């Protein structure tokens, strides 16, 4: 009989309406109403794909916030061709910390991990696999995004691989139970100090909120475009190309975190028309560039593939 993972490895989820603890099962998440004056118990049904929606209407800035289905599909096609695999491999290699590089205290093993802005799950899946490959590490991975199509895709893939929280056996010595959810990174439905690690890959960076939910010594991995990222593509689209300021957010993190390492990685890309179109769709360039410039760039692939270089930087920090 399939059972849920051991509660001691499960972060404490909170009701987005009243902040009462959530009691979860495979069909419904139900808050216990302990923080609600009326004792109301708010239910959240689990979608057939395996995710739960914890995004209240008041936390939405639009009817359908986050990436659209079109953007998710484009990113899924592009990433599955391996164009950004060097970054995926780097992130997976960083799932277990280097104790020599990090200032103590630091978590030796991550039991509870949050991937903010998980998207369609390309990097989330690599994190899950790396956690599961760690000996005697029964981990919980929260895959969170404000986009419902993105989380539905992540959940669907996890379900196909029997990786959802209600599919993983509690007594399995080394496994990762994934909890896909639609929620706001600004209002994480998680208790204070309930996480060992957070990753945010091209996603929001919220120093106070991240510090709130991380334990002392908890890890924060941040992936950003590095200087020169997609330079030739940007030059083809815009008259003026501004350099990426990848580390401008670090000063805001310093009251809560200490930087322990920085990593860079690059990938040379040779793109046909479909791959280039998908790359444009999954970036802000799709709407920032003039239509004529986009069409001219795509038309250029009729003569020969378009070449550019993707450059990334990944920061490792610990909560102090």
């Amino acid at each position: 009989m399939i059972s849920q993972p051991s509660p001691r490895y499960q972060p404490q989820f909170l009701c987005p309406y009243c902040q009462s603890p959530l009691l979860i099962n495979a069909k419904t998440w139900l808050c216990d109403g302990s923080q609600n004056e009326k004792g109301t118990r708010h239910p959240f049904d689990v979608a057939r794909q395996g995710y739960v929606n914890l995004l209240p209407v008041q936390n939405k800035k639009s009817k359908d916030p986050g990436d659209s289905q079109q953007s998710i599909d484009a990113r899924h096609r592009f990433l599955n061709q391996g164009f950004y695999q060097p970054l995926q491999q780097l992130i997976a290699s960083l799932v277990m910390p280097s104790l020599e590089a990090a200032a103590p205290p630091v978590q030796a093993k991550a039991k509870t991990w949050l991937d903010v802005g998980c998207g369609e799950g390309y990097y989330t899946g690599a994190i899950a696999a790396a956690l599961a490959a760690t000996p005697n590490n029964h981990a919980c991975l929260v895959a969170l995004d404000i986009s419902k199509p993105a989380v539905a895709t992540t959940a669907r893939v996890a379900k196909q691989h029997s990786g959802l929280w209600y599919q993983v056996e509690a007594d399995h010595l080394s496994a990762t139970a994934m909890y896909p959810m639609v929620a706001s990174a600004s209002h994480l439905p998680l208790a204070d100090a309930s996480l060992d690690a957070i990753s945010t890959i091209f996603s929001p960076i919220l120093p106070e909120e991240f510090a709130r939910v991380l334990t002392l010594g908890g890890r924060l991995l941040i992936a950003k475009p590095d200087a020169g990222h997609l330079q030739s593509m940007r030059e083809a689209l815009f008259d003026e190309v501004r350099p990426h300021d990848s580390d401008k957010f670090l000063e805001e993190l310093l009251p809560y975190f200490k930087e322990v390492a920085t990593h860079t990685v690059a990938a040379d890309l040779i793109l046909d028309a479909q791959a280039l179109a998908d790359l444009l769709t999954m970036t802000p360039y799709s709407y920032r560039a003039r239509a004529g410039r986009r069409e001219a760039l795509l038309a250029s692939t009729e003569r020969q593939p378009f070449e550019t270089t993707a450059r990334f930087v990944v920061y490792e920090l610990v909560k102090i």
Side-chain angles (χ1 to χ4, degrees):
M1 180 178 178
I2 294 177
S3 57
Q4 289 184 224
S6 170
R8 67 180 180 276
Y9 296 143
Q10 178 184 293
Q12 179 61 70
F13 298 106
L14 301 180
C15 174
Y17 292 108
C18 66
Q19 284 68 59
S20 299
L22 282 168
L23 309 175
I24 72 174
N25 62 45
K27 294 185 177 181
T28 304
W29 293 25
L30 181 67
C31 82
D32 66 9
S34 60
Q35 302 302 310
N36 188 322
E37 292 182 358
K38 297 181 179 179
T40 303
R41 304 185 68 185
H42 301 102
F44 303 89
D45 292 336
V46 177
R48 59 180 176 80
Q49 296 93 337
Y51 71 89
V52 64
N53 192 334
L54 299 181
L55 182 65
V57 174
Q58 61 266 29
N59 289 346
K60 290 185 178 182
K61 295 182 179 180
S62 64
K63 181 180 179 182
D64 297 304
D67 292 332
S68 65
Q69 187 66 60
Q70 180 185 17
S71 178
I72 294 300
D73 291 343
R75 192 159 61 201
H76 186 70
R77 287 192 299 267
F78 182 86
L79 294 176
N80 279 356
Q81 293 184 68
F83 292 118
Y84 282 8
Q85 189 176 43
L87 176 61
Q88 185 196 53
Q89 292 175 337
L90 172 60
I91 291 169
S93 73
L94 297 176
V95 167
M96 285 306 295
S98 170
L99 298 183
E100 293 80 12
V106 64
Q107 300 293 340
K109 287 185 179 180
K111 296 293 186 183
T112 51
W113 191 296
L114 166 66
D115 189 29
V116 173
C118 66
E120 79 305 321
Y122 180 71
Y123 303 103
T124 316
I127 292 170
L131 289 170
T134 305
N136 300 318
N137 192 41
H138 196 154
C140 292
L141 173 58
V142 182
L144 180 148
D145 203 293
I146 202 170
S147 165
K148 186 184 296 184
V151 176
T153 301
T154 296
R156 188 183 303 112
V157 173
K159 187 176 182 179
Q160 290 171 352
H161 292 85
S162 299
L164 295 177
W165 80 92
Y166 59 82
Q167 296 175 307
V168 176
E169 295 183 11
D171 57 356
H172 197 293
L173 291 179
S174 187
T176 303
M178 188 181 294
Y179 297 74
M181 63 177 60
V182 180
S184 169
S186 302
H187 304 87
L188 295 172
L190 291 155
D192 295 356
S194 59
L195 297 174
D196 297 324
I198 295 175
S199 52
T200 175
I201 303 166
F202 316 127
S203 296
I205 299 171
L206 303 157
E208 291 186 13
E209 187 69 349
F210 290 174
R212 179 184 69 80
V213 297
L214 276 172
T215 59
L216 182 65
R219 304 177 65 222
L220 175 60
L221 297 184
I222 299 173
K224 288 288 184 182
D226 203 2
H229 178 62
L230 304 178
Q231 184 74 14
S232 61
M233 188 177 85
R234 294 163 66 211
E235 289 173 348
L237 291 171
F238 304 103
D239 295 327
E240 180 182 357
V241 178
R242 297 180 180 179
H244 282 289
D245 188 5
S246 301
D247 60 356
K248 62 183 179 181
F249 58 86
L250 288 177
E251 186 175 344
E252 299 176 3
L253 290 165
L254 291 182
Y256 313 97
F257 297 91
K258 178 179 180 178
E259 184 182 353
V260 296
T262 303
H263 312 267
T264 58
V265 65
D268 293 326
L269 311 180
I270 301 177
L271 308 173
D272 60 18
Q274 182 63 63
L276 180 57
D278 287 338
L279 179 56
L280 286 170
T281 300
M282 61 186 257
T283 67
Y285 311 143
S286 61
Y287 58 85
R288 290 179 182 172
R290 295 197 300 270
R293 298 288 283 266
R294 292 198 306 270
E295 292 168 3
L297 176 58
L298 290 170
S300 70
T301 60
E302 296 176 2
R303 300 184 298 273
Q304 61 183 12
F306 183 78
E307 298 185 18
T308 191
T309 300
R311 301 183 186 277
F312 310 103
V313 58
V314 179
Y315 301 93
E316 285 188 272
L317 304 99
V318 295
K319 181 183 172 181
I320 55 177

